Amino acid sequence: MDHSGHGMDMMDMPPFTLGRGLEWSGDPFFTTACAVGLALYGWAVVRLWRRGDKWPVSRVVSFTLGVLSIALVMCTKLNDYGMVMFSVHMVQHMVISMLSPILLLLGAPVSLTLRALPAAGRGRKGPREWLVMLLHSRYMRIITHPVFTIPMFIASLYGLYFTPLFDFLMESRTGHIAMMIHFLAVGLVFFWPIMGVDPGPHRPGYVMRMLELFAGMPFHAFFGIALMMSSEPMIKTYEHPMASLGIDALDDQQAGGGIAWAFSEIPSVVVLLALAFQWYRSEQRQARRTDRQADRDGDKELAAYNAYLASLQARGR
């Protein structure tokens, strides 16, 4: 199989080490996309700061880490080794579909965009108005609904790796890039309503978000277990690794399965921590609103409740 389009002589690759894998390779598509993403986000933040609006530094850090995590697996030689080693490819898949989306969403890019873009004015439509229309469109309601996101999240594993589609996509650089974009898009759509940071058509409660999370995560673990328990290579692309790598195809597949199984716990922990923090902040805001309301009306609700208790006590006499 010819993988020379990935910028490296795939017929003479040395054994994988972390140092070799982290060497910069600079895939043109993802390098450009990451640079543009960071530049646009930075422009929007500076625009807010210049007009005196605040934007949390934590969100800037989260979004930046999300972009850098994509660059880590797609713009280094991990991308080249991922073409010939299933275990490295699985690291790419797990990061770009389950870690990068969470970090990007914690950066609230949609909220930032809505605040940074100017309103077009009465009777006109500009980029901000078109974005609002998209967020409230039937299309967005469908692709962000759990009935769609959960099956798509699952199908991206079983419908891709256990069919000839994966081998077809891996035959070319374009197919490989398309597959990685798909992983990222599916991760963003799946975690968007669960994270609940950006506005969207569906804003379920905290308990429902946790249920949606746990509905999808176990299938990653089952997928990993299936790969680890297999007695023969299941992915044809990696069935005959080049001799210079010094690896066994079945051992490499089982390592990849272990990565898929173990990695499924990481996003669960990150998301649960984020949801717990959001829930806590929501309760704090509700408590402050209740206190302010009590200050304004002299705590009429408490006074009425006390009067009700007094009336019950009077009746008992």
Side-chain angles (χ1 to χ4, degrees):
M1 185 176 296
D2 180 17
H3 297 304
S4 59
H6 286 259
M8 190 173 184
D9 184 2
M10 295 296 180
M11 299 306 295
D12 188 24
M13 294 183 67
F16 176 81
T17 63
L18 184 59
R20 288 169 180 157
L22 294 180
E23 291 177 10
W24 183 258
S25 66
D27 176 85
F29 178 85
F30 278 99
T31 300
T32 303
C34 289
V36 170
L38 285 176
L40 290 175
Y41 193 93
W43 168 83
V45 171
V46 170
R47 182 178 175 85
L48 259 61
W49 286 348
R50 283 180 175 175
R51 71 185 189 204
D53 290 344
K54 294 181 179 179
W55 186 254
V57 175
S58 60
R59 291 186 175 180
V60 178
V61 172
S62 293
F63 187 85
T64 302
L65 289 176
V67 173
L68 292 179
S69 68
I70 296 173
L72 176 68
V73 296
M74 296 306 304
C75 300
T76 64
K77 289 186 178 178
L78 288 175
N79 194 31
D80 295 313
Y81 277 100
M83 293 295 295
V84 293
M85 293 180 63
F86 181 72
S87 56
V88 178
H89 168 84
M90 192 51 59
V91 171
Q92 289 182 281
H93 180 172
M94 293 295 105
V95 169
I96 206 169
S97 69
M98 300 178 72
L99 180 60
S100 301
I102 294 172
L103 293 171
L104 293 175
L105 291 169
L106 286 174
V110 176
S111 299
L112 176 62
T113 303
L114 289 173
R115 290 181 59 181
L117 290 175
R122 183 177 297 179
R124 293 185 297 171
K125 291 181 180 178
R128 187 179 188 279
E129 287 70 26
W130 284 110
L131 177 57
V132 172
M133 289 177 60
L134 176 62
L135 291 173
H136 292 88
S137 67
R138 179 179 299 179
Y139 169 76
M140 292 302 295
R141 286 198 299 270
I142 292 174
I143 69 167
T144 59
H145 196 280
V147 174
F148 178 88
T149 59
I150 295 174
M152 177 60 69
F153 193 66
I154 298 169
S156 292
L157 284 175
Y158 299 90
L160 182 65
Y161 287 99
F162 296 156
T163 69
L165 180 59
F166 180 83
D167 297 321
F168 171 75
L169 292 172
M170 290 293 286
E171 288 178 356
S172 67
R173 177 178 176 274
T174 302
H176 184 233
I177 289 176
M179 177 168 48
M180 289 301 173
I181 294 174
H182 169 77
F183 289 152
L184 179 61
V186 169
L188 287 169
V189 169
F190 177 75
F191 287 109
W192 183 6
I194 293 175
M195 302 303 297
V197 177
D198 273 328
H202 299 284
R203 296 300 297 269
Y206 293 102
V207 174
M208 184 57 65
R209 293 185 206 177
M210 293 179 184
L211 292 176
E212 289 180 23
L213 175 67
F214 290 127
M217 289 298 104
F219 289 94
H220 270 263
F222 298 153
F223 170 76
I225 292 171
L227 292 172
M228 287 191 293
M229 295 183 64
S230 177
S231 59
E232 59 183 20
M234 300 174 66
I235 314 297
K236 290 187 177 180
T237 298
Y238 302 99
E239 195 172 12
H240 302 291
M242 58 185 65
S244 62
L245 292 171
I247 60 172
D248 176 74
L250 184 58
D251 291 342
D252 186 53
Q253 176 181 288
Q254 291 173 345
I259 291 168
W261 172 73
F263 207 96
S264 63
E265 302 299 323
I266 297 176
S268 299
V269 173
V270 174
V271 172
L272 286 175
L273 289 174
L275 289 180
F277 180 73
Q278 290 177 29
W279 201 343
Y280 170 77
R281 291 286 300 273
S282 176
E283 292 296 322
Q284 291 290 97
R285 287 193 296 268
Q286 181 61 40
R288 287 194 295 268
R289 283 194 295 266
T290 302
D291 291 341
R292 287 194 297 267
Q293 181 64 33
D295 291 340
R296 285 194 299 268
D297 61 17
D299 215 346
K300 292 179 180 179
E301 186 176 339
L302 179 59
Y305 181 68
N306 288 334
Y308 171 71
L309 291 178
S311 67
L312 291 180
Q313 185 176 9
R315 291 176 189 175
R317 294 175 183 173

